[in-house]
Amino acid sequence: MRIALAGAGRIGARHAAALAGLPEVEAVLAADADPRRARDLAARVRGVRAVDTVEKLFTTGADGLVITAATDAHAGLVGRSVAAGMPVFCEKPLASTVDGTFQTVAAARAAGVPVQVGFQRRFDAGYLVARDAVASGRLGWLHTVRSCSFDPAPPPAGYIPTSGGLFRDCVIHDLDSIRFVTGREVVRVMAMGANKGDEIFRESGDVDTGTALVTLDDGTLCTASATRYNAAGYDVRLEVFGSKDSVVAGLDDQTPISPIPERARPAGHAAEAYSGFLERFAAAYDAELRAFTDLVAGRRSNPCPPEEALEACYLAEACELSKHEGRVVEIEEVRR
């Protein structure tokens, strides 16, 4: 098959290389708003061919489209692709607003064309084991779930004003993971944020650190926390506690956390902390792209349909509203 790719930036280049390495992918046809980036990518990665414009991707006869372009282009590209009958993989978010996401989901549903959304934690080995542990009853009934997304450093200052805010941009992954692993729905949230770092966050109406208290439909209490300032390294974990047992995903030799009292690691076991999401979730990114090619080929069902992304969008929107108004927000308040 031939896969078109819209967006040749950092995540686009990583996805292009992964796709080009799959035996069933004959070519990756890459385009970018800046044609030079697509040409540079094609020169670096075997199996990638540059296309002059994103517009021309829809005339290549590609079997599927992977969208890693800027957020404001996502909804339009998904709409064009499903109208053309071309299966889509889209990095989150589907759109920059709740209304835009709702409309994009409706367009995909009406077209009957598969749209897989890029929530890569659903493909991480630890998260999958945690999900199985919950589903099997091994943990008993759940009482507490704790999720965290700690970045080692803030993104570029120019990104902050257009990011949508910490909860929509970052915590949305934790919220989706909580639903995915527990198999339960969120009914209400209470979110708070703080600013102790760069003034760009405050000036943009955002926060550099935030936590949401999340209540599931069976009464389980969850927390989802994120920060832009975790200099020890990139730390993403999910802890699930039940009446019988507990498990944690994302705790290994590269997790940037030290036990107290500190214990010396055996010789040969020291490891550098994760530097960022591309390193931490490398295997998960590969797995979700393999899943997409299987989806294109008709070998599997959609592992992350747009309706799932819409639910995560509702939860993030509720968190932002809660932070802004300083109150508990019922999810039904933001649902369309």
Side-chain angles (χ1 to χ4, degrees):
M1 65 180 67
R2 304 198 316 161
I3 301 294
L5 182 135
R10 181 171 57 158
I11 190 68
R14 197 247 177 257
H15 284 356
L19 287 164
L22 296 176
E24 63 266 43
V25 176
E26 174 190 333
V28 176
L29 310 171
D32 192 274
D34 180 353
R36 291 173 300 179
R37 293 209 296 187
R39 291 195 294 268
D40 290 346
L41 176 59
R44 295 195 315 270
V45 181
R46 185 176 181 178
V48 177
R49 303 176 194 170
V51 177
D52 291 340
T53 65
V54 172
E55 183 80 15
K56 287 185 178 179
L57 288 176
F58 295 97
T59 66
T60 60
D63 299 289
L65 174 67
V66 171
I67 300 172
T68 56
T71 294
D72 59 5
H74 287 192
L77 289 170
V78 171
R80 287 204 59 182
S81 192
V82 299
M86 185 188 301
V88 187
F89 174 91
C90 183
E91 281 296 341
K92 71 87 185 166
L94 283 174
S96 54
T97 65
V98 171
D99 286 338
T101 303
F102 182 85
Q103 292 163 10
T104 303
V105 171
R109 186 184 297 123
V113 176
V115 176
Q116 179 183 333
V117 184
F119 282 106
Q120 83 280 357
R121 296 185 196 183
R122 290 174 172 239
F123 296 87
D124 178 79
Y127 283 73
L128 289 169
V129 170
R131 185 174 191 247
D132 288 344
V134 172
S136 70
R138 167 188 156 190
L139 305 186
W141 48 265
L142 303 186
H143 55 78
T144 304
V145 179
R146 300 192 301 218
S147 182
C148 70
S149 294
F150 296 160
D151 291 333
Y159 175 77
I160 303 302
T162 62
S163 69
L166 183 68
F167 290 96
R168 295 189 191 99
D169 179 51
C170 184
V171 180
I172 192 170
H173 282 287
D174 300 89
L175 298 168
D176 178 70
S177 298
I178 288 170
R179 288 186 66 244
F180 176 70
V181 169
T182 65
R184 312 298 308 194
E185 296 298 337
V186 176
V187 295
R188 66 185 62 89
V189 300
M190 177 65 193
M192 300 183 71
N195 280 308
K196 300 178 74 175
D198 197 298
E199 281 299 309
I200 186 64
F201 292 99
R202 194 184 311 275
E203 293 166 0
S204 302
D206 196 8
V207 294
D208 61 50
T209 301
T211 294
L213 175 61
V214 176
T215 304
L216 302 185
D217 57 8
D218 66 346
T220 302
L221 298 178
C222 314
T223 57
S225 301
T227 186
R228 303 296 194 181
Y229 289 98
N230 196 59
Y234 184 72
D235 188 357
V236 170
R237 277 174 286 129
L238 180 74
E239 300 170 321
V240 187
F241 301 86
S243 59
K244 295 181 180 177
D245 201 357
S246 59
V247 293
V248 55
L251 183 63
D252 58 36
D253 283 348
Q254 289 184 265
T255 305
I257 190 168
S258 299
I260 301 296
E262 294 190 17
R263 300 173 184 175
R265 287 178 173 172
H269 283 263
E272 292 291 328
Y274 290 111
S275 60
F277 61 93
L278 291 180
E279 180 187 9
R280 166 65 179 84
F281 289 108
Y285 282 124
D286 289 345
E288 71 176 355
L289 291 172
R290 286 195 300 271
F292 178 61
T293 58
D294 286 342
L295 180 64
V296 172
R299 292 191 292 261
R300 69 166 297 165
S301 59
N302 193 340
C304 191
E307 289 81 4
E308 294 290 282
L310 179 59
E311 285 300 316
C313 182
Y314 287 147
L315 304 188
E317 190 71 14
C319 287
E320 287 288 346
L321 180 61
S322 174
K323 172 180 69 71
H324 178 69
E325 297 188 355
R327 66 178 179 88
V328 173
V329 173
E330 302 288 328
I331 304 306
E332 289 304 316
E333 295 182 47
V334 299
R335 193 179 298 280
R336 298 295 187 268

